[in-house]
Amino acid sequence: LAYYLPQNAGDIARKYIRDPGLLSFIDAECFIVSTVNALQTPMINASMVLCDRHFGGINYPVGGVGEIAKSLAKGLVNQGSQILYRANVTSIILDNGKAVGVKLSNGRKFYAKTIVSNATRWDTFGKLLKSENLPKEEEAFQKAYVKAPSFLSIHMGVKADVLPPDTDCHHFILEDNWTNLEKPYGSIFLSIPTILDSSLAPEGHHILHIFTTSSIEDWEGLSLKDYEAKKELVAEKIISRLDKTLFPGLKSSILFKEVGTPKTHRRYLARDSGTYGPMPRGTPKGLLGMPFNTTAIDG
């Protein structure tokens, strides 16, 4: 394992494989989990995902993935913890350079030995900690990494008979050109959780979650009317591709549809630009070049 720590999947693939179609397929496999190609995906990350997808299969929680968060919350409360919902943290409190607490939007302050931030690095250091407190290590991180794009998401309820009986839960659609892999709207992810858990939808129906990469810049500067119209237009094009490629008649079977953009992700997930997370500007040194879970701020 130590041998593979500083290496990326794309370098290993190109060492043994010459076929351009197969190399492009490996790029797609890595992109599905990391939003970057194989040359920028650490070998250990890629191998875990490839093994899960092609050998181990998937595990899906009954009731939907939200049940994982609910179970974790229940466990924390059972162990004596308290969870505050709708508690908007506006800043991390520092004392002599050490993180000692957080301040909420309503003015309440909480103090602790350790602060855990699940915000993006850009939100943690750009909003929760003000820029004048930016450590040198964080400056280096922001030079080495850029924000990955966000997503356009479509949640739909459809009539079950539009899907063939042997339909799989997960799909990745890239119609005819490998070069479109990393372009906005180029490739489409599709998850149909009701294939595995029919309790999530009324009888005779399925849930489709469709998403594709999208940049927040593509959605800014629009009036509310133009924004809503663009959502419908882009969603229509995506759904038409699925109708043509996978499920003929899909458009006419839709009973419910909700479209979210990078602005939706920014608003509800409090993620800068709605970003999926950090991705390297260049080629990282395998896993060794990836950011770790600590910061230069003590505590």
Side-chain angles (χ1 to χ4, degrees):
L1 283 177
Y3 172 77
Y4 290 110
L5 274 174
Q7 302 189 62
N8 295 324
D11 294 319
I12 301 280
R14 279 156 181 77
K15 186 175 177 181
Y16 298 103
I17 298 169
R18 295 287 175 269
D19 183 86
L22 183 53
L23 289 171
S24 294
F25 174 74
I26 293 169
D27 275 337
E29 290 275 22
C30 291
F31 177 79
I32 287 169
V33 65
S34 63
T35 70
V36 290
N37 61 40
L39 286 167
Q40 293 180 291
T41 303
M43 184 63 192
I44 286 179
N45 291 24
S47 60
M48 287 191 296
V49 172
L50 289 168
C51 287
D52 274 354
R53 188 144 60 240
H54 296 291
F55 296 102
I58 58 167
N59 294 292
Y60 190 86
V62 173
V65 291
E67 292 301 315
I68 298 174
K70 290 177 186 176
S71 296
L72 286 169
K74 184 178 178 182
L76 286 166
V77 171
N78 287 345
Q79 293 298 319
S81 300
Q82 182 185 8
I83 300 174
L84 297 184
Y85 295 97
R86 299 190 181 187
N88 187 26
V89 176
T90 54
S91 63
I92 295 170
I93 302 167
L94 293 181
D95 183 15
N96 291 321
K98 177 178 169 61
V100 296
V102 295
K103 182 181 179 182
L104 305 189
S105 57
N106 63 7
R108 290 184 72 186
K109 295 179 181 179
F110 293 86
Y111 292 91
K113 292 179 182 176
T114 304
I115 312 302
V116 180
S117 173
N118 191 39
T120 68
R121 301 286 284 238
W122 295 278
D123 288 292
T124 299
F125 284 93
K127 297 170 186 174
L128 303 179
L129 286 165
K130 305 312 172 197
S131 56
E132 61 265 21
N133 298 319
L134 197 66
K136 287 279 184 264
E137 290 91 334
E138 204 55 37
E139 286 183 12
F141 166 84
Q142 299 201 10
K143 287 177 183 173
Y145 288 87
V146 294
K147 296 170 201 162
S150 186
F151 289 93
L152 176 97
S153 293
I154 309 169
H155 289 89
M156 298 196 315
V158 302
K159 296 174 184 174
D161 56 14
V162 76
L163 305 184
D166 58 348
T167 300
D168 288 309
C169 174
H170 295 298
H171 301 261
F172 180 73
I173 298 94
L174 181 65
E175 289 92 335
D176 54 10
N177 190 343
W178 288 112
T179 61
N180 288 333
L181 175 68
E182 298 177 70
K183 293 179 181 177
Y185 317 116
S187 45
I188 304 170
F189 300 80
L190 169 62
S191 178
I192 313 171
T194 40
I195 294 290
L196 299 176
D197 182 5
S198 61
S199 70
L200 296 171
E203 190 175 347
H205 300 83
H206 278 296
I207 292 170
L208 272 63
H209 177 208
I210 307 157
F211 50 108
T212 178
T213 54
S214 178
S215 168
I216 200 164
E217 286 77 18
D218 200 25
W219 296 91
E220 292 184 321
L222 300 171
S223 67
L224 182 60
K225 182 180 178 182
D226 289 343
Y227 175 69
E228 293 296 335
K230 182 169 183 174
K231 281 206 299 185
E232 287 300 311
L233 181 65
V234 175
E236 164 71 17
K237 289 180 179 177
I238 298 291
I239 295 166
S240 293
R241 287 166 63 186
L242 294 179
D243 192 304
K244 180 180 178 182
T245 310
L246 277 181
F247 307 126
L250 178 64
K251 285 199 283 188
S252 60
S253 76
I254 298 170
L255 300 170
F256 173 86
K257 182 180 69 179
E258 200 166 50
V259 183
T261 73
K263 293 179 77 171
T264 316
H265 286 264
R266 180 176 65 185
R267 178 181 179 186
Y268 289 101
L269 302 179
R271 298 180 72 81
D272 193 288
S273 302
T275 180
Y276 181 68
M279 66 181 190
R281 287 183 188 273
T283 303
K285 295 178 180 177
L287 196 67
L288 297 181
M290 302 301 278
F292 289 95
N293 295 334
T294 58
T295 72
I297 300 284
D298 188 19

